[in-house]
Amino acid sequence: MSAVKLLLVCRHAPYGNSLARSTLDTALAAGAFDMAPTLLFMAEGVLQLLPEQDPTDVGTRNHRKVLDSLPLYDIDQLYVDGAALAEYGLTDMPLPEGAVVVDGDGMRKLLQAADHLLGF
Amino acid sequence: MILHTLNAAPEQGVFQQCLGQLGTTDALLLMGNGVYAALDGSPAATRLLATGATLYVLQDDARAAGVLPRLCPGVKAVDYATFVELTEQFPRQLAWY
Amino acid sequence: MKYALLVLAPPGSASYSALHFARAALERGHSIERVFFLDDGVNNGLDTTVPPQGERDIPALWGAFARETGVELVLCVSSAVRRGLLDATEAQRHEKPGPTVTEGFTIGGLGLLLEASVASDRVLTFGGQA
C-alpha cells in the first residue's frame, strides 16, 4: 500500500453537477491504486449520504449505491461533518458503515494529517 | 499549515465553510471572485482578519476586479511567483470554490 | 520540488491561474509531474473553442505550454468523452467525425492523477466556475 495519505474533501451535493461523481471516481481509482484514500464529507457534501436516493427518473446512477460499494475497494475511512448533518436535519440519518461524525476541530485534524488534499 | 485558496465571492456558502477551517498557522490566498473578500471595510475582510490566518490576494485577479486600490491593509497582493513560494512553505493546499 | 496539478475548473479565471501557476513553478526551478484535467476541467482541452477576438484562447495557451515545456497534460477519459472531447482513437471507437482535443493534451485514466500525486511533493487543485 502507498504510504501517501490522500484526503478527498467532498463538498458538493450529488446531482446538481458532476463534481461529486468525479470525487467518487477518483476515490475508486485511488483504491485500485492501493492508496486507501480518506473521504471527508463536509457542508453540502453530506447530502451525498442520503440513503433514499433514487435517480432513476433523472437518468443518472445512484450516488449512494456507489458510496456503499467503497468498502469493496478497501476504502473505509469516511468522515462526516456533524454540523452540516444538523444544518440539514439529518443527525438521525443512517450513515455508511464505519463512517465517523466529526466536528470542526476533527475536520481540521483530518486536513492537517493528510499528505495531499484534493478539494472537490 | 494549510494554504487555502478561495475562489468564490463572500456571499457564497463556501466562504463561510472556508472561514470555519482557517487557523492561525494557515494562509489564505484569495483568487477569482474570492478577491472581493479583500475589500477594505467589508464585513468579509473583517471576518477573515479575525481568523488570524495570513491573508493574500492574487494581484492579477484583484487588479482585474478593481479591488487592488481598495485593498484591506491586512491582505497582501502577490504575483504567481509568490503563489508558488507559498506552496513551498505550506505542504498542503485546499481549494475552496 | 515536484508538483502535480488537478484542474477541475472549466476554461476561465481558475484554469488560467493554474496555467500561470504552472509556468511560475517551472521558472522557480520546480518540475511538474503532470497536469490532470477532471470533470469540467477537461473543457480546457477543447480544440473547437473559438474565443472572442482579443480574448485569451485558453486551450491554445495550454497547448503552447505543453509544446514549450514538455509538461504532460492529461484529460480524464470518462470526463472527456461525455463532454465530446475525443482524440483520434476515441473518435474512431465512438464513430464520431473526428478528434476534438487540442494538440498537446492526451486522454487517460484517473490512475495517472494518482500516480502523479504519489510521485509529487505538492498537489494543487484549481476549481471554480467558468
Side-chain angles (χ1 to χ4, degrees):
Chain A
M1 185 169 300
S2 159
V4 174
K5 282 189 280 181
L6 188 68
L7 176 67
L8 278 63
V9 183
C10 319
R11 286 191 305 101
H12 289 85
Y15 302 107
N17 57 37
S18 51
L19 275 165
R21 179 182 184 141
S22 293
T23 315
L24 287 196
D25 287 347
T26 306
L28 290 167
F33 218 73
D34 245 3
M35 286 181 78
T38 302
L39 276 72
L40 167 61
F41 296 89
M42 74 178 288
E44 228 181 82
V46 303
L47 301 171
Q48 295 184 29
L49 306 172
L50 273 168
E52 300 90 355
Q53 296 172 41
D54 180 7
T56 339
D57 294 338
V58 297
T60 176
R61 71 177 172 180
N62 189 318
H63 194 81
R64 174 65 195 255
K65 281 203 175 138
V66 182
L67 269 174
D68 287 333
S69 76
L70 293 179
L72 299 175
Y73 304 91
D74 292 325
I75 304 166
D76 48 14
Q77 299 178 75
L78 308 184
Y79 294 87
V80 187
D81 175 354
L85 286 178
E87 176 95 4
Y88 288 104
L90 297 173
T91 40
D92 295 336
M93 171 172 80
L95 298 173
E97 212 179 303
V100 178
V101 176
V102 285
D103 60 9
D105 272 344
M107 289 197 281
R108 265 188 291 279
K109 285 198 183 98
L110 279 171
L111 297 177
Q112 304 286 355
D115 291 314
H116 297 312
L117 306 171
L118 295 180
F120 284 95
Chain B
M1 287 279 288
I2 293 177
L3 172 65
H4 300 263
T5 54
L6 175 64
N7 177 13
E11 280 183 33
Q12 302 289 319
V14 67
F15 175 80
Q16 185 63 40
Q17 294 165 29
C18 173
L19 198 70
Q21 288 300 318
L22 288 178
T24 48
T25 58
D26 292 344
L28 170 68
L29 174 65
L30 300 164
M31 55 195 291
N33 278 352
V35 303
Y36 296 113
L39 279 169
D40 193 22
S42 70
T46 309
R47 292 169 72 196
L48 286 180
L49 287 169
T51 64
T54 318
L55 306 175
Y56 302 93
V57 67
L58 201 55
Q59 191 166 272
D60 287 4
D61 290 355
R63 186 183 295 116
V67 167
L68 217 45
R70 299 168 185 273
L71 203 59
C72 166
V75 183
K76 189 179 174 207
V78 295
D79 60 11
Y80 280 96
T82 311
F83 183 1
V84 175
E85 231 180 294
L86 287 171
T87 65
E88 293 163 12
Q89 292 166 25
F90 291 83
R92 291 169 287 275
Q93 175 248 8
L94 183 55
W96 304 88
Y97 52 90
Chain C
M1 274 195 260
K2 286 186 183 177
Y3 283 74
L5 305 188
L6 169 63
V7 179
L8 296 168
S13 151
S15 73
Y16 196 60
S17 282
L19 176 61
H20 274 291
F21 180 91
R23 284 200 182 275
L26 295 178
E27 273 163 31
R28 278 186 63 81
H30 300 300
S31 65
I32 296 175
E33 281 289 301
R34 185 171 286 137
V35 184
F36 195 87
F37 298 81
L38 177 63
D39 208 79
D40 283 345
V42 297
N43 280 329
N44 286 285
L46 184 60
D47 195 39
T48 50
T49 304
V50 183
Q53 201 150 29
E55 290 190 25
R56 62 195 176 190
D57 182 345
I58 290 179
L61 290 170
W62 275 112
F65 171 74
R67 222 173 22 251
E68 291 161 26
T69 63
V71 170
E72 199 184 339
L73 310 179
V74 179
L75 306 175
C76 168
V77 59
S78 63
S79 297
V81 295
R82 79 175 62 192
R83 289 173 176 82
L85 282 119
L86 311 169
D87 58 12
T89 316
E90 295 293 337
Q92 197 169 26
R93 181 195 324 229
H94 300 285
E95 296 176 9
K96 298 293 179 189
T100 51
V101 167
T102 303
E103 209 181 312
F105 290 83
T106 55
I107 288 184
L110 270 161
L112 294 173
L113 166 66
L114 299 155
E115 186 190 84
S117 304
V118 171
S120 295
D121 305 297
R122 297 288 184 267
V123 179
L124 269 86
T125 308
F126 292 84
Q129 310 298 315

